[in-house]
């Protein structure tokens, strides 16, 4: 059981370049999330998808777009990368419903992005 | 504004030296409080969920407790393998499920 898989693990971009971070989960979870983690700032929500076909902005959405491609996949796109987007990005998923595990986020291993 | 504050930011312990990490929160209606462990270079991993004041959960050397204003993560006789960053998150009642995370406590346990 792979859980949440993120690609790539590392990426270096130049200012103005675009790229897409990929995330896939194999747990049949309904909700998916994209966070960024910066030193001293904790985890901040960029976008989330409560269910297939829906996406909503989080705390720090500027400069990003997302696509919930299907139930398994949730991608994050940087259209024109800026140095302020240098960060570690985490994708997470959650099983919704009334079960005891429904409120727990399962995270991927992270994607470390550097924008020069 | 809902807030989650963790203290201390960093904690160094000797092996066997018990201590506690704090997570204080100011939210308008708590649905749940969550503790995660994050190892360097990895994503956070779930430890505990607490739903109501007075509730306690235990796992090996860790015990989480909850009051109406804060949660403690007690570490009893820690070992070097307990070294990690511990994250607290709260979920408020109503609306979409969007947990708010604290900035974490970095724990180092020296042998």
């Amino acid at each position: 059981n792979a859980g949440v898989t993120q690609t790539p693990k590392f990426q270096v971009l130049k200012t103005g370049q675009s790229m897409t971070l990929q995330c896939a989960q194999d747990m049949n979870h309904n909700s998916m999330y994209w966070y960024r983690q910066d030193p001293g700032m904790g985890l901040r929500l960029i976008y989330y998808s409560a269910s297939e076909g829906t996406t909503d902005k989080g705390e720090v959405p500027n400069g990003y777009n997302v696509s919930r491609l299907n139930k398994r996949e949730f991608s994050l796109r940087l259209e024109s990368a800026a140095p302020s987007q240098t960060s570690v990005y985490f994708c997470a998923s959650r099983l919704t419903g009334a079960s005891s595990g429904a409120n727990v986020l399962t995270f991927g291993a992270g994607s470390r992005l550097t924008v020069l | 504004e809902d807030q989650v504050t963790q203290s201390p930011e960093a904690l160094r312990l000797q092996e066997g030296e018990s201590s506690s990490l704090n997570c204080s929160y100011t939210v308008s209606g708590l649905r749940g409080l969550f503790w995660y462990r994050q190892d360097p270079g990895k994503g956070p991993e779930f430890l505990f969920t607490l739903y109501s004041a007075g509730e306690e959960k235990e796992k090996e050397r860790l015990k989480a407790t909850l009051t109406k204003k804060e949660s403690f993560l007690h570490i009893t006789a820690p070992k070097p393998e307990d070294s990690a960053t511990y994250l607290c998150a709260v979920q408020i009642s109503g609306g979409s499920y969007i947990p708010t995370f604290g900035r974490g406590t970095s724990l180092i346990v020296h042998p």
Side-chain angles (χ1 to χ4, degrees):
Chain A
N1 193 343
V4 178
T5 302
Q6 292 183 231
T7 56
K9 294 188 184 302
F10 300 95
Q11 184 72 50
V12 178
L13 293 177
K14 295 181 179 179
T15 297
Q17 288 185 320
S18 62
M19 76 158 300
T20 300
L21 300 178
Q22 306 287 352
C23 175
Q25 51 91 9
D26 62 1
M27 298 171 288
N28 201 34
H29 285 181
N30 295 314
S31 298
M32 298 185 74
Y33 306 76
W34 274 107
Y35 286 90
R36 60 177 290 174
Q37 187 174 42
D38 303 290
M41 296 298 292
L43 285 164
R44 293 184 292 170
L45 183 66
I46 305 171
Y47 271 93
Y48 69 101
S49 171
S51 61
E52 185 178 358
T54 67
T55 60
D56 285 288
K57 296 178 179 179
E59 180 184 355
V60 289
N62 291 343
Y64 306 94
N65 286 300
V66 290
S67 295
R68 183 74 184 267
L69 304 172
N70 48 54
K71 189 171 184 179
R72 292 185 63 250
E73 299 173 286
F74 188 38
S75 63
L76 178 71
R77 182 162 179 82
L78 287 69
E79 291 290 352
S80 179
S84 61
Q85 294 178 304
T86 294
S87 187
V88 181
Y89 292 85
F90 288 100
C91 177
S93 68
R94 182 178 75 94
L95 176 68
T96 59
S99 67
S100 61
N103 293 325
V104 173
L105 294 180
T106 301
F107 287 85
S111 297
R112 184 176 296 275
L113 175 66
T114 301
V115 183
L116 302 175
Chain B
E1 182 178 327
D2 299 328
Q3 288 197 349
V4 181
T5 304
Q6 292 188 245
S7 62
E9 289 185 12
L11 182 62
R12 292 178 180 269
L13 299 173
Q14 289 296 128
E15 184 171 3
E17 180 186 3
S18 301
S19 187
S20 296
L21 283 55
N22 177 264
C23 173
S24 63
Y25 59 92
T26 55
V27 298
S28 53
L30 181 71
R31 175 184 287 176
L33 185 141
F34 309 88
W35 283 98
Y36 290 81
R37 169 187 170 132
Q38 185 175 22
D39 293 302
K42 296 187 178 181
E45 290 186 358
F46 171 73
L47 289 173
F48 303 110
T49 306
L50 302 167
Y51 291 105
S52 57
E55 189 174 359
E56 299 183 353
K57 293 278 180 71
E58 288 190 65
K59 180 180 180 180
E60 297 181 352
R61 295 175 293 282
L62 300 177
K63 183 169 81 171
T65 62
L66 180 66
T67 73
K68 289 186 177 180
K69 295 183 178 181
E70 58 191 349
S71 176
F72 292 94
L73 185 64
H74 307 277
I75 304 176
T76 302
K79 297 182 177 182
E81 53 262 42
D82 294 322
S83 298
T85 295
Y86 291 86
L87 300 172
C88 167
V90 299
Q91 172 60 27
I92 63 174
S93 299
S96 301
Y97 182 88
I98 306 175
T100 300
F101 282 84
R103 298 183 180 187
T105 293
S106 174
L107 172 67
I108 297 176
V109 182
H110 296 283

